[in-house]
Every structure is written in C-alpha cells, then in structure tokens.
Amino acid sequence: MQLLPAEQHRVEHRMKPPNLSKSLIIAEDAKLAAQVSCKLAARGSYLPVLAGPRLSRPDAETEVVRCNNAVARSGAQSIYMVGLSKAAHSHLGNYLPIRRTTYISEGSSLTGLGGETAHDSSTSHPLTWGRDNLGIGLLKALRERRMIEFATGPSPREVVESRTGHLVVCEQGHELSEVIAANYAYALGAGLVIVPNVPTDVADAILETFYSLYDHPDYSARELRQDLRARLRSFCGALSLPASPSLTFITNKLPFGFGYSEAPSTHLFTYPDLGMAIINGFASAASNKDETVAAVVVDPGQTPAPEIATAAELLAQRGTFVRGYRGPAANVRDVSQMIEHFPYDLLIIATHCGDAPGYRWTHEFKDAEGRTRQLVVDIALGIAQSEDDPDVVQLTRFERFHSLDGVLWNDPEKAKKIVVGSAIVEYMRQAHDTQELKPISKETINRVLGSAALRMYDNNLIALPTAALANYRTPIIFNNACVSWHELSKRFMFANAKAYIGTLWPVTGVEAEDVLLRTIGKHFGKPLAHALWSAQREAYQDQLRHPYIMTGVYPQWLRGSRSDGPHEILKSLAEGLGVWQGRLSKADGGDEQRLRSLKSICRFFQVEYEHMKKRWPRKEP
C-alpha cells in the first residue's frame, strides 16, 4: 500500500468523542457481558465495560478503588455487575451505590434490562454465534439491533466494515477486551477486525529490536525497520483499510501502528485496564472539561531540548498556564512529586530514557503451601534527595522477575514447567510487607530490562506512578525521551493518563523539536493521533521513520483554554491539600514510613499552594 499524498488523505476531523452511556458494566464473564451490551448499548453513546478488580493481587484494595474511581469518572447512573465472583461483589459493594447497582449472573433474565434506554431487540431473531471471535459477533448484533446467543463450534471468520473510515483492530487473548472493543467500535461507527494473538516471547523480541535499533552492526537501521514493519503487518493479515482510514489498535503489547504509517493510528492495551483507558479518554470531553488549562514542561538539560521553550510559548499563546522544571529544578524528587500531585492537563518531558543498570537478587522462601521456592529478581533504583536531610536519600525500587525455580519468567512454556501458585504473593508479603525475607545472593547487572529510567538533573527517575496522576486528573503525556513508549506507556496509562505519546527508538534533539512543535503548532486542533501522524509525515517524509507512537482513544484533542489557569490550579491544590491532610490525620502512628510519605505530600501541596497564591493573588469578592 503506497503512502497517500497529504491532500488526498482526508481523515474525518469532525469525528467527535461519543457521549458516555448512563449505564456501565463491570464484568468477569465476557459472553454474558456481550449479551447485556446488546440490551444497553445505544447509537451515539459509548457503553463502558470494565474488567472486575483483580483480587488475587497483593494490592487488591487498590484495584477496587481504581474501579470505583472509573465508575465515578464515567458519570454512570446504573451499574451492572455481570458474572462477578462473590468476593468482587463484596469488595465493590463497599463503594458503589446499592440502589443503582444490579447483579447479573448466568441464567439471569435480561428481559426489561435498561428500561427506556435499552433498544428493543425482542422483535428480531437473536444472532447465533460460536464460542470465539466474540467481538465481531457482538458488533454485528449491535449494528443489527439484535440479541446474541452462543452455540458450540467455531464462529465465522469475518470482519465488520467501517461506516466512518475508522477501523478498530483488536488482538486476541482476552475475550472481555473484544467485548470492550466492539462497544468502542459501535460508538464510533467503526469497523472491527480481530487478529491472532502474538506469542509473548515473539512480541518481546520485536520490542527489543525496536529498543536496540542502532546496536546491530551487521544490519542497517533502515533494514531492521523494514523487517519490523513487514512483521507487524503480517500479524494483521490482509488488512483492508477503508478510504481515508484512521486506526485504533487494541494490542497486548506491540505498536502495530508503526506497520501502517500510511494512516493515523493510536493504541490501547487489551488487559487489564482497557475499559478504564476508554473512560478516561472520553469522560473529559463528555463533561466539557477537556481544556488544556495547565501544562508542565520538564527539561533536565541531559539532552539538547530546544523544543521545550518554544512549546511553552505556543501553549501560553492558547491560554494554557505553563509550569517549567529546567536544569537543577528538574531533579528526581521534585519531578516525581509533580507527576503525581501537581494539577496539569499536559506533561511534556525531554530527556534521555533507557534501562538502568542494577542488581540481581536471589531469594529462597516457603510459599503458603510449604513448598521451598527460589525467585530471582532484577532490581533498578531511582534515587532522590530527602527534603529534610541532605545525607538521606529516598529510593524507588523497580523489580522485574527474572526466574522462578530455575524457569525464566518470560518463558512461553512456563505454565507447563512450574506451578506459580502462591509464590509471588508470599514473596511480596515476606519481602515487602514484613521485610523478613533477605536475598541469599546478589550480583550487579548492566541492564534491568523494562526499568525505563528517565534521566533527571541529579539521578535516574524510575517513573512508577501509583493509581493517580496530576492530583487525580487524566492528563496527556508527551514524552520526548528516547525509547520511551515500551514500558512507560503502560505505566502512565495505568495511572489514568488519557493519552501517552512516546518513541520506539532514539531520536535526535532536532527530530524531537520538529515533531513536537508541528504536533502542538501547525496541526493543533486535529485529533491528537492525526496531528502526530501529520507531524511525522512532514518531519521525516519517510514511512519507515515514524518513531512516535500514541496510546489512547482516537477522538481526542489538545484544546486551548479560556479558564483562569492560576485560579484553577489554586483550587485544585487546596482540595488536594485537604484530602492528604485528612489521610495524615487518620494514619497509623506506628507506621513511620507511611507517616513520612504523607507529610512529604502535604508539604508539597502546601508549598505549591503558597507559591501560587503569592505569585497570582486574587482579590476576594
């Protein structure tokens, strides 16, 4: 397929984010969720579907809180728990309003579900579908306003054509993600294609090739890019693009859009937060709160970043309040606190990114069943200076499981070779909760895979945002750091970014400046994915040199602002200070580490609030 001239590629700029339905599904049973979707989905609206909280994780309660926050962000008035376990019912019941929650299990009657908001599917025969290719069957049923029923045997191998020029390509591997993909496609009038799952070891090898593009002396970077493009396209089969296409790839981990640089594209990850990511992308536009009121730019001075000053000027011209962290101000402590707690809508980072050196620790312990286990863990450290004592540092620890009982953690045959069982939960309890577990051996290693450290002015920042960014906003992240898409896109999307843009291989300062300034300059006002695509076409004029990849829903924009930026920031800082002071007052006095952390966060809000209030005083009415 040839690259189309820019004037011939008329992507639908008027594609609007859909309204969010007043109904929402939380599900573990994908097929039952598909049937409930047939009763609740309506044209022109997106029906949110969330995966149930993963209660087997050590941070199970955090999973429940994140699910609750996504429900609140969606504005749903009716919540349907579909095929959830009793444990999930119980945990979510502590947060969700009982009167607005309906429990649906296998065998429940769906008659009358949704009331006046449901479409009438009772007048037509149900669509009978097989046990696979679930997303295609659901989208066909939604388009034809029919229920879906499931029979034994395989489903038809077909696609659903696009009505708007947008195409959703979903990788297999998680049935519930296909249900979410079908609802997303239905809301956008998009087509849908389901492509085979790419084995994890194959995908990891491809990502590693992107990462080390210039480290292969026997091959040119261009030859490697050609091969990578061909492989990504081969996984999607004979993908037929509509006229003037745009694409959303719902992927387990691969940047399929690089293989289709003739069209603007974005990506969403299949599991576990696909439903949350779509809510985050659509919610602010649905509530008319998608202005870029505040932006933060970060330039530690570790790489040439001429784009930062110009980007700040462009954003300020559109009414955005811009906060800068440059040179010594861009240190690990201040930037990490800012990422989680300062109220921004756009974050632009310009620095070096790469896997950090670290350590390989071997642990031996007994799991909950009394079996002796040996877990090897790779560790990278981010180091920040303490606020209180210059001789004390604060550590952020990134861990990557290397092997369990002699079997590599990323071995595609791992499930056949060992039973993981309670090994990881017990390791987390002994190593982190009680801190009783100590390694039996330690060694240094040159690279901790996946650590993706951002070079700040003083040390490496291991960006591991928790369940929130930007004082609980859903910002856009434009990370101009080299090779910053692989790991950081998942981390920032997990922490509720609504979009993330990063690179697949190292880029020069000139490239970074050109792409960023074209995206937020000349092409400002286009859908973000289209603006990025246009910027790369003009900057590189070569379909093999498109290093920037976007994650997030397709129909979203960078907007200018007419709001009083300092006032909005002051208001958000005051609210955040109140929340964290409340948590500090209720904290366990015996947990010194937790107390130090809470006090540090409260100081951040207090200092920022006083600074803003002094710099931008407001007269009382």
Side-chain angles (χ1 to χ4, degrees):
M1 187 176 293
Q2 294 183 342
L3 193 66
L4 299 174
E7 64 272 12
Q8 294 182 22
H9 197 293
R10 302 293 186 186
V11 172
E12 181 56 71
H13 291 175
R14 293 173 295 176
M15 182 192 293
K16 297 180 179 179
N19 296 323
L20 287 174
S21 170
K22 293 302 179 182
S23 299
L24 177 143
I25 297 171
I26 305 174
E28 291 176 359
D29 185 326
K31 290 182 172 61
L32 187 54
Q35 293 177 319
V36 176
S37 294
C38 289
K39 297 295 293 184
L40 299 178
R43 287 176 180 161
S45 295
Y46 170 67
L47 173 65
V49 180
L50 299 175
R54 296 169 292 171
L55 299 180
S56 61
R57 287 172 56 95
D59 58 346
E61 197 60 28
T62 299
E63 284 280 298
V64 177
V65 170
R66 295 180 67 242
C67 189
N68 171 74
N69 291 348
V71 173
R73 196 172 289 121
S74 76
Q77 298 300 308
S78 300
I79 303 158
Y80 297 86
M81 294 192 187
V82 178
L84 295 188
S85 65
K86 290 182 179 180
H89 280 176
S90 176
H91 280 77
L92 288 169
N94 294 327
Y95 293 89
L96 301 178
I98 296 176
R99 293 182 179 179
R100 294 195 279 119
T101 302
T102 302
Y103 300 92
I104 300 173
S105 58
E106 187 174 0
S108 297
S109 173
L110 304 184
T111 303
L113 196 64
E116 295 179 358
T117 63
H119 70 252
D120 183 9
S121 57
S122 61
T123 58
S124 56
H125 294 293
L127 173 67
T128 300
W129 201 252
R131 307 303 294 181
D132 59 349
N133 217 18
L134 179 55
I136 297 296
L138 174 56
L139 184 54
K140 285 174 63 69
L142 293 174
R143 289 265 186 97
E144 298 168 14
R145 302 176 69 80
R146 301 162 68 185
M147 284 297 295
I148 186 169
E149 292 183 350
F150 298 103
T152 58
S155 305
R157 293 295 169 189
E158 55 184 280
V159 302
V160 179
E161 300 294 333
S162 173
R163 293 176 173 176
T164 60
H166 195 71
L167 183 65
V168 179
V169 181
C170 181
E171 186 179 356
Q172 289 179 329
H174 301 280
E175 274 200 332
L176 189 62
S177 295
E178 292 189 32
V179 173
I180 298 171
N183 277 290
Y184 174 83
Y186 181 60
L188 298 179
L192 179 62
V193 178
I194 305 296
V195 299
N197 173 54
V198 179
T200 298
D201 58 328
V202 175
D204 286 340
I206 289 172
L207 288 173
E208 179 64 16
T209 303
F210 273 118
Y211 184 96
S212 57
L213 195 65
Y214 296 107
D215 297 339
H216 301 275
D218 296 333
Y219 300 92
S220 71
R222 182 173 181 81
E223 288 176 323
L224 289 172
R225 284 194 292 263
Q226 286 176 325
D227 179 65
L228 288 166
R229 185 173 189 267
R231 295 195 70 187
L232 291 172
R233 293 175 79 98
S234 71
F235 295 139
C236 296
L239 198 62
S240 178
L241 301 185
S244 300
S246 57
L247 298 156
T248 296
F249 290 98
I250 299 179
T251 169
N252 293 331
K253 59 171 57 180
L254 285 176
F256 286 107
F258 174 76
Y260 294 87
S261 54
E262 66 267 38
S265 65
T266 188
H267 301 73
L268 291 162
F269 293 113
T270 54
Y271 183 82
D273 296 322
L274 176 59
M276 292 184 187
I278 297 176
I279 289 174
N280 292 338
F282 289 155
S284 58
S287 60
N288 294 317
K289 295 180 180 178
D290 58 345
E291 291 183 356
T292 310
V293 175
V296 174
V297 294
V298 177
D299 175 15
Q302 298 292 341
T303 59
E307 73 274 18
I308 288 296
T310 308
E313 292 175 6
L314 286 172
L315 292 167
Q317 290 170 9
R318 295 190 172 94
T320 297
F321 175 90
V322 182
R323 174 73 177 273
Y325 288 75
R326 305 191 70 176
N331 58 73
V332 173
R333 184 192 69 217
D334 291 342
V335 171
S336 59
Q337 286 191 319
M338 172 274 296
I339 286 174
E340 294 200 20
H341 303 303
F342 190 81
Y344 57 87
D345 304 296
L346 171 65
L347 172 62
I348 301 174
I349 302 173
T351 189
H352 175 75
C353 179
D355 286 342
Y359 310 92
R360 179 163 291 167
W361 289 4
T362 300
H363 301 269
E364 280 192 358
F365 58 95
K366 290 187 182 296
D367 63 18
E369 291 75 34
R371 294 173 295 192
T372 299
R373 314 303 297 263
Q374 186 177 90
L375 180 67
V376 180
V377 181
D378 292 345
I379 297 172
L381 299 176
I383 303 174
Q385 295 296 319
S386 171
E387 299 169 278
D388 305 317
D389 187 341
D391 295 326
V392 175
V393 295
Q394 298 172 341
L395 299 180
T396 299
R397 189 162 89 172
F398 170 84
E399 294 187 358
R400 177 182 180 272
F401 299 145
H402 176 73
S403 65
L404 176 63
D405 298 340
V407 178
L408 291 177
W409 190 253
N410 62 353
D411 186 336
E413 303 293 319
K414 179 179 64 178
K416 298 179 182 179
K417 297 177 181 179
I418 57 169
V419 176
V420 176
S422 62
I424 302 305
V425 173
E426 193 60 25
Y427 163 75
M428 296 297 291
R429 186 187 71 80
Q430 295 184 33
H432 294 275
D433 296 346
T434 66
Q435 298 184 1
E436 62 191 76
L437 182 64
K438 305 301 179 185
I440 61 173
S441 68
K442 299 180 181 180
E443 62 179 299
T444 59
I445 55 177
N446 294 327
R447 177 185 171 199
V448 177
L449 288 173
S451 54
L454 293 166
R455 186 75 55 78
M456 292 294 110
Y457 183 82
D458 52 350
N459 285 301
N460 282 334
L461 168 61
I462 306 291
L464 294 173
T466 56
L469 295 171
N471 198 18
Y472 293 95
R473 295 192 182 198
T474 54
I476 293 171
I477 313 296
F478 198 120
N479 197 344
N480 244 345
C482 296
V483 292
S484 58
W485 187 79
H486 304 92
E487 291 290 334
L488 294 183
S489 56
K490 285 192 173 182
R491 294 186 207 168
F492 279 97
M493 294 299 287
F494 172 84
N496 291 325
K498 67 180 177 183
Y500 180 94
I501 294 171
T503 65
L504 292 172
W505 60 77
V507 295
T508 67
V510 173
E511 291 176 82
E513 178 182 25
D514 203 2
V515 173
L516 173 63
L517 298 185
R518 288 178 186 275
T519 301
I520 67 173
K522 177 181 178 181
H523 300 293
F524 191 91
K526 295 178 180 178
L528 185 57
H530 187 272
L532 178 67
W533 174 76
S534 298
Q536 292 197 87
R537 284 168 64 90
E538 294 172 357
Y540 297 110
Q541 299 184 357
D542 179 353
Q543 62 182 343
L544 289 176
R545 284 189 60 81
H546 279 218
Y548 287 85
I549 296 292
M550 175 175 159
T551 311
V553 300
Y554 188 88
Q556 61 175 305
W557 290 257
L558 280 172
R559 305 285 195 189
S561 176
R562 296 182 179 180
S563 299
D564 183 338
H567 172 68
E568 293 294 326
I569 293 170
L570 273 166
K571 180 180 176 182
S572 180
L573 289 171
E575 291 172 350
L577 178 60
V579 169
W580 287 99
Q581 284 178 333
R583 293 177 182 177
L584 177 60
S585 68
K586 299 175 182 177
D588 179 1
D591 189 342
E592 294 185 6
Q593 184 175 351
R594 172 67 172 163
L595 286 174
R596 283 197 300 268
S597 176
L598 289 172
K599 288 177 180 177
S600 177
I601 294 170
C602 288
R603 276 197 299 271
F604 172 85
F605 278 102
Q606 188 71 55
V607 169
E608 291 291 336
Y609 179 80
E610 294 298 334
H611 170 76
M612 292 290 298
K613 188 175 180 181
K614 181 179 179 180
R615 188 82 183 271
W616 286 275
R618 289 179 58 85
K619 295 181 180 180
E620 297 297 329

